[in-house]
Amino acid sequence: MLGHHYTRTFLETAVASMNAGCNLELSYGMRNNVFMHITQALAMGNITLQMLRDRVRPLFYTRMRLGEFDPPTMNPYSSLDLSVVQSPEHRNLSLEAAIKSFVLLKNVQGTLPLQAQDLPGKRLAVVGPFADNPRVLFGDYAPVPEPRYIFTPRRGLETLPANISFATGCQEPRCQKYSRAEVVAAVGAADIVVVCLGTGIDVETEAKDRRDLSLPGHQLELLQDAVQ
């Protein structure tokens, strides 16, 4: 109604939504929500009581399955704490999921994966706004993570037997202020350079679209400086 002008009134929108099978409304910031007009639609005969029951039934069925109406002592999820969530089995499964979700577009001369036995004495540089900033590593609608379980690229690489140098070049993904000297100094004597770039929710998220797919700000310049 407000954005696409498919309907003209809240009542008409409620009826169209119900007829389409919608049973849950997300109307952030609206005081006069669309589904508040369902009772009016029912009274006017625009929808039937059976249709209303059909739409409501799966909502309460789901809530019952989640145990929302049970005492907390009866809900097995209520007893889960961090020790269960972060158990070795779950952490290993998360690691496996992360490894299997990587998309490797190019691997010149078999550079990857880095082998720990080949790294002693090597100089490794990790640079970029995503190199050591936990906040920008999580996507939109991500849960609030426990800080001690967050491994940024820098933190993870520092577990390897290599000499690590580090520079952000720019403090945040928009990369409006860029320090070329900082990056050049970090990569100058490095045998291996890991460049961490991207967008993150600072640049793109729900209702925040981008006009192009280019790297934000000076990130492309940072990449070029890091690999020259």
Side-chain angles (χ1 to χ4, degrees):
M1 182 184 74
L2 300 178
H4 299 283
H5 307 290
Y6 180 77
T7 53
R8 292 167 295 179
T9 66
F10 277 20
L11 175 61
E12 184 184 351
T13 306
V15 173
S17 300
M18 293 281 286
N19 284 329
C22 181
N23 64 356
L24 200 61
E25 177 185 5
L26 174 61
S27 52
Y28 177 77
M30 286 187 176
R31 293 184 178 181
N32 187 16
N33 295 341
V34 171
F35 275 6
M36 296 298 290
H37 295 263
I38 288 177
T39 52
Q40 182 184 357
L42 184 63
M44 295 177 62
N46 298 119
I47 61 173
T48 65
L49 183 59
Q50 186 58 48
M51 177 187 290
L52 179 59
R53 287 172 172 164
D54 290 341
R55 299 294 179 267
V56 168
R57 186 177 293 108
L59 296 177
F60 282 89
Y61 176 68
T62 301
R63 294 182 67 185
M64 287 177 180
R65 292 190 65 189
L66 290 172
E68 289 190 6
F69 302 109
D70 298 329
T73 54
M74 290 180 58
N75 190 333
Y77 300 109
S78 300
S79 62
L80 298 180
D81 58 17
L82 194 60
S83 66
V84 177
V85 176
Q86 289 289 350
S87 65
E89 294 81 6
H90 289 169
R91 290 174 60 79
N92 290 334
L93 181 60
S94 296
L95 179 61
E96 180 184 356
I99 292 173
K100 290 183 176 180
S101 66
F102 288 147
V103 178
L104 184 62
L105 300 180
K106 202 171 185 179
N107 194 15
V108 177
Q109 298 179 348
T111 302
L112 298 173
L114 298 178
Q115 301 293 337
Q117 63 267 23
D118 299 331
L119 292 178
K122 294 284 187 179
R123 292 165 295 188
L124 194 154
V126 53
V127 299
F130 284 74
D132 198 36
N133 187 342
R135 186 184 63 81
V136 301
L137 295 181
F138 296 89
D140 202 8
Y141 293 102
V144 178
E146 180 71 20
R148 68 177 181 269
Y149 295 115
I150 302 173
F151 275 78
T152 63
R154 179 190 183 185
R155 182 183 175 190
L157 291 168
E158 284 181 342
T159 64
L160 299 175
N163 298 317
I164 306 293
S165 59
F166 161 72
T168 60
C170 43
Q171 295 297 322
E172 39 78 34
R174 295 187 183 278
C175 203
Q176 299 298 321
K177 296 181 180 180
Y178 169 53
S179 174
R180 180 179 185 273
E182 180 185 357
V183 171
V184 171
V187 305
D191 301 300
I192 302 169
V193 178
V194 178
V195 187
C196 305
L197 307 174
T199 56
I201 58 175
D202 289 350
V203 177
E204 56 184 336
T205 180
E206 181 184 4
K208 191 190 293 182
D209 299 331
R210 303 181 65 206
R211 295 180 178 179
D212 58 65
L213 297 179
S214 303
L215 287 168
H218 294 279
Q219 285 197 33
L220 179 58
E221 184 181 348
L222 187 158
L223 175 62
Q224 292 168 335
D225 291 336
V227 300
Q228 286 179 353

